[in-house]
Amino acid sequence: MDQEIQKPVRVKKEKPQLRQSIYSLLPEEMQTWLKDNGEKPFRAGQIFDWLYIKRVTTFDEMSNLSKELRDKLAADFELSTLSTLIKQESKDGTIKFLFQLQDGYSIETVLMRHEYGNSVCVTTQVGCRIGCSFCASTLGGLKRHLLAGEIVEQVVNVQKALDEVGERVSHVVIMGIGEPFDNYDAMMSFLKVINHEKGLNIGARHITVSTSGIIPSIYKFADEQLQINFALSLHAPNQELRLRLMPIAKAYKLPDLIEAIRYYTEKTGRRVSFEYGLFGGVNDQVEHAEELAKLIKGIKCHVNLIPVNYVPERDYVRTPKNDIFSFEKTLKNNGINVTIRREHGSDIDAACGQLRAKERKQETTN
Ligand code: SAH
């Protein structure tokens, strides 16, 4: 006898609607919104002053705008889409923020104190799908891209914290959780807003973006002709080793990647930074340094050596100090500019994805 099999009914979990952050807009976009809403475009200047100079926390504080306009703004935009879950300060002045997004996910932002200024490391995605074998950010995969306003708000919130001590965010690095070139359009809008004189007015040369090596986006970025600093997470001197560390090398092979980097340096006239994580016994020997020097010979560049940050789920070990210096010396002897990255906030899990990894299990949405 035929029996009809009933398929289980799948109840789809409603995704919360994300409200647009007002911080995603450029002044010209705000002008368009004002015109569309029957308001005078010059109000954009006033609104930007309230957002980026006076740094208000409510629309009602925008006292030179009519109540009607403030209500319209509040109806269309959110003034704050991030809430601070954790703020941890390290002995060296590094501050790590764990922010909660509208839909319950959490992201990390780090403020680093340098001699040359205050630098904020921003996150561009909830999680990451690149899958680097050493990185904590990729452990739970990618949940979603951040919206431009959510990236801008990270810097604004850190600036608000610095306002309490009368300091300014002078530098931004896009080196937090996520692959910025996998969320290209939001990253570009973010860059335009923080660089804009009416926005946070952070100079392009004070901003750095880092990618794991998505080749088509590298060409696109080169053609934008920006003065923004550009870093590539290289981590290996040959294709085979890079593939072991970074599965992205399967889709984007090292020789093609190097060609894209050459294109970038020639097109922009700017130098590139190569980030090279030293993973004990894997890529940290003098012969690797020799091979690396050959690979990047003739490219206008700088190499940043990063001693591995310990990640509990990953079993990479630190390179002994002497070997780090030998690696550095080998590059120097080959005429390569090189520095060893200083650690920030190691007492507060400041390495990418570490604080969030602790929180991930508590996230409300999957
Ligand atoms: N997805 C981008 C932005 C992240 S930047 C990129 O890959 O460039 C963060 C930098 O720290 C990258 O160079 C990344 O490869 C590196 N990194 C991640 N985990 C690390 C670890 N455990 N030890 C050392 N460096 C690490």
Side-chain angles (χ1 to χ4, degrees):
M1 199 173 81
D2 276 351
Q3 210 179 354
E4 211 176 304
I5 300 168
Q6 288 248 311
K7 278 197 184 141
V9 185
R10 270 221 172 145
V11 182
K12 218 176 155 200
K13 216 172 162 187
E14 278 286 317
K15 277 207 175 136
Q17 194 71 35
L18 297 178
R19 299 223 333 128
Q20 193 185 9
S21 162
I22 196 164
Y23 292 97
S24 63
L25 270 66
L26 282 166
E28 37 277 33
E29 291 165 339
M30 179 55 77
Q31 285 180 354
T32 307
W33 180 90
L34 285 161
K35 276 189 238 163
D36 291 348
N37 284 275
E39 297 278 349
K40 296 269 187 309
F42 80 89
R43 299 272 177 214
Q46 295 176 324
I47 296 170
F48 270 68
D49 278 357
W50 287 114
L51 294 177
Y52 293 100
I53 297 184
K54 303 193 186 82
R55 297 191 270 274
V56 294
T57 49
T58 62
F59 286 112
D60 278 337
E61 287 167 77
M62 300 183 173
S63 55
N64 55 2
L65 308 182
S66 68
K67 171 86 174 86
E68 194 193 346
L69 174 52
R70 281 181 270 145
D71 288 347
K72 281 189 209 167
L73 285 169
D76 279 11
F77 303 109
E78 214 41 64
L79 194 58
S80 168
T81 63
L82 308 185
S83 56
T84 307
L85 286 178
I86 298 177
K87 182 180 165 198
Q88 276 185 347
E89 186 152 3
S90 157
K91 285 189 216 98
D92 64 11
T94 302
I95 305 181
K96 181 132 192 174
F97 297 82
L98 190 75
F99 294 120
Q100 185 163 52
L101 306 175
Q102 293 176 73
D103 50 1
Y105 287 123
S106 52
I107 55 163
E108 295 176 19
T109 307
V110 183
L111 164 69
M112 290 165 291
R113 293 341 222 284
H114 298 283
E115 266 159 38
Y116 56 79
N118 291 312
S119 175
V120 178
C121 179
V122 296
T123 282
T124 50
Q125 296 177 313
V126 182
C128 183
R129 58 178 159 191
I130 302 298
C132 300
S133 66
F134 45 82
C135 184
S137 302
T138 203
L139 286 167
L142 175 71
K143 301 295 184 194
R144 75 164 167 90
H145 296 304
L146 289 193
L147 308 174
E150 291 172 320
I151 314 175
V152 177
E153 274 187 48
Q154 293 172 52
V155 186
V156 171
N157 281 9
V158 174
Q159 180 57 63
K160 282 178 179 161
L162 279 178
D163 284 343
E164 290 167 20
V165 287
E167 290 181 45
R168 176 175 181 265
V169 172
S170 56
H171 292 69
V172 168
V173 294
I174 311 183
M175 293 191 177
I177 295 170
E179 168 50 51
F181 279 12
D182 187 31
N183 189 13
Y184 192 87
D185 293 342
M187 175 204 74
M188 282 307 299
S189 300
F190 161 73
L191 289 176
K192 285 179 188 156
V193 172
I194 61 162
N195 180 227
H196 201 287
E197 56 170 359
K198 283 291 203 176
L200 281 168
N201 199 15
I202 296 172
R205 287 163 190 268
H206 286 190
I207 304 172
T208 304
V209 58
S210 173
T211 180
S212 57
I214 299 183
I215 292 177
S217 303
I218 295 175
Y219 282 102
K220 208 166 153 188
F221 192 69
D223 291 339
E224 311 263 5
Q225 294 272 26
L226 302 168
Q227 295 299 307
I228 285 167
N229 303 311
F230 177 62
L232 174 81
S233 297
L234 183 60
H235 300 321
N238 61 57
Q239 167 66 13
E240 192 202 338
L241 199 47
R242 192 161 194 269
L243 189 57
R244 257 176 65 196
L245 294 165
M246 305 173 77
I248 193 170
K250 193 169 179 195
Y252 300 118
K253 308 243 171 354
L254 188 57
D256 301 332
L257 184 57
I258 294 296
E259 204 178 303
I261 294 298
R262 279 188 198 279
Y263 177 84
Y264 172 85
T265 53
E266 279 155 25
K267 183 86 196 229
T268 61
R270 296 185 59 75
R271 73 173 191 183
V272 66
S273 282
F274 290 114
E275 285 158 283
Y276 193 101
L278 291 166
F279 303 107
V282 178
N283 66 348
D284 62 345
Q285 299 303 301
V286 165
E287 62 258 31
H288 297 124
E290 294 282 3
E291 202 179 356
L292 175 62
K294 271 198 204 105
L295 179 73
I296 60 178
K297 198 175 168 102
I299 299 179
K300 203 170 160 185
C301 72
H302 176 266
V303 173
N304 224 328
L305 297 176
I306 319 172
V308 61
N309 284 313
Y310 176 69
V311 178
E313 293 86 345
R314 311 299 206 189
D315 51 8
Y316 291 105
V317 294
R318 284 224 154 197
T319 299
K321 272 218 167 78
N322 278 344
D323 289 1
I324 297 178
F325 293 136
S326 306
F327 200 98
E328 182 196 29
K329 197 163 158 236
T330 308
L331 290 181
K332 275 190 179 154
N333 290 345
N334 279 281
I336 310 261
N337 285 314
V338 54
T339 44
I340 301 169
R341 183 175 292 175
R342 224 182 80 212
E343 262 188 291
H344 290 271
S346 52
D347 53 330
I348 55 162
D349 299 316
C352 325
Q354 294 191 354
L355 190 61
R356 179 176 169 266
K358 281 188 182 170
E359 282 286 312
R360 208 153 25 90
K361 291 183 193 83
Q362 294 165 26
E363 276 169 1
T364 54
T365 324
N366 284 305

